[in-house]
Amino acid sequence: MSYVRGGVLAMGVLYDYFRAADDAAAVRLMEDLDGGPVAVGGDGAAVDAIDLKGIDPAVILGQLVSFVRGVDWEVNTIVSSLLWSRDEQEGPWLMSIDSATRDTLASVDGAQVRELSARWGRIEELAWGGPPADDEMLPVIEQIAALARRARDAGENLYCWCCL
């Protein structure tokens, strides 16, 4: 697995984050999209989704959430549940993300983004080839925080689609 700057994978596991009204709507989306991906380019995208390539929910995103909360990272910092899979071994997979994580990410404001970017960019999973510039993770943090705010404000949940 190799990262390029900014924590974006050149190859490896893909992760799309999106919002939906509830678990049933998210699963229907998987069926409608024939298993994904969810974040697609172009003007025809009907789903509010972002492509975060190699940013997994449990470890990498979980560490960002722990920084925002001011707590030590633990494997269950983000509570997620497998909702759907085309093939348990091969994927793709759809996971729900708990509302506490959604609300934590939605709480990120402009005053803390630069510090979070610098700190998050230094985690082993993002900085194995050397830490990125302090502001390099800014766009990722801004995207996920904005998606979480839109989900919270609409009374919706966050989901993660994953594929090898």
Side-chain angles (χ1 to χ4, degrees), residues 12-164:
V13 183
L14 302 176
Y15 297 92
D16 288 354
Y17 292 84
F18 66 98
R19 64 187 179 106
D22 55 31
D23 293 354
V27 169
R28 273 193 311 278
L29 179 64
M30 289 297 95
E31 293 164 359
D32 291 348
L33 295 175
D34 195 28
V38 180
V40 294
D43 296 330
V47 179
D48 189 0
I50 56 175
D51 174 1
L52 293 187
K53 298 205 184 340
I55 308 293
D56 75 288
V59 178
I60 299 176
L61 188 62
Q63 290 182 69
L64 174 62
V65 169
S66 71
F67 294 151
V68 175
R69 291 178 179 165
V71 299
D72 290 336
W73 174 81
E74 296 178 1
V75 74
N76 63 350
T77 295
I78 292 180
V79 177
S80 64
S81 299
L82 181 64
L83 296 178
W84 176 92
S85 176
R86 177 178 292 147
D87 178 311
E88 284 192 35
Q89 300 299 318
E90 304 282 323
W93 303 271
L94 172 66
M95 296 165 280
S96 64
I97 296 177
D98 65 297
S99 60
T101 294
R102 178 203 61 200
D103 295 347
T104 297
L105 292 168
S107 76
V108 172
D109 63 34
Q112 65 189 143
V113 173
R114 184 168 292 282
E115 177 195 342
L116 286 170
S117 174
R119 192 169 176 203
W120 194 36
R122 290 186 197 106
I123 68 170
E124 179 180 349
E125 294 79 7
L126 294 176
W128 65 269
D134 284 354
D135 63 351
E136 201 151 342
M137 297 307 294
L138 281 171
V140 176
I141 296 169
E142 289 168 345
Q143 286 180 6
I144 193 68
L147 178 67
R149 276 190 292 279
R150 292 189 300 271
R152 179 198 62 201
D153 294 350
E156 295 180 336
N157 302 307
L158 284 181
Y159 297 89
C160 178
W161 170 87
C162 171
C163 184
L164 297 176

